[in-house]
Amino acid sequence: MAADEKTQAKTEQAKGKIKEVAGRAVGNERLTAEGRAEQTKGDACQAKEKVKDALND
């Protein structure tokens, strides 16, 4: 997995987790949902890069 893309995926996951936790803490369902969406996006990017790596081996 390219280091830049891997880092970007991990950052997306971390930002999403922070938003989700903050949303739950203040009772903001929209912020919680945005956080979950960002985490999912990060997971998808990470999975895509793993598939690319597997195909290139």
Side-chain angles (χ1 to χ4, degrees):
M1 183 181 310
D4 183 43
E5 292 162 347
K6 180 179 180 181
T7 301
Q8 186 178 8
K10 289 287 185 185
T11 301
E12 194 78 31
Q13 290 169 328
K15 285 183 355 185
K17 187 64 175 176
I18 291 167
K19 276 188 177 181
E20 181 182 3
V21 170
R24 283 186 183 166
V26 297
N28 186 331
E29 289 182 27
R30 180 174 164 225
L31 188 59
T32 303
E34 285 178 13
R36 284 191 199 130
E38 282 187 26
Q39 287 181 72
T40 301
K41 182 179 175 187
D43 291 343
C45 289
Q46 190 173 31
K48 179 184 79 169
E49 291 305 315
K50 286 183 180 181
V51 168
K52 282 173 143 178
D53 285 346
L55 292 175
N56 290 330
D57 286 339

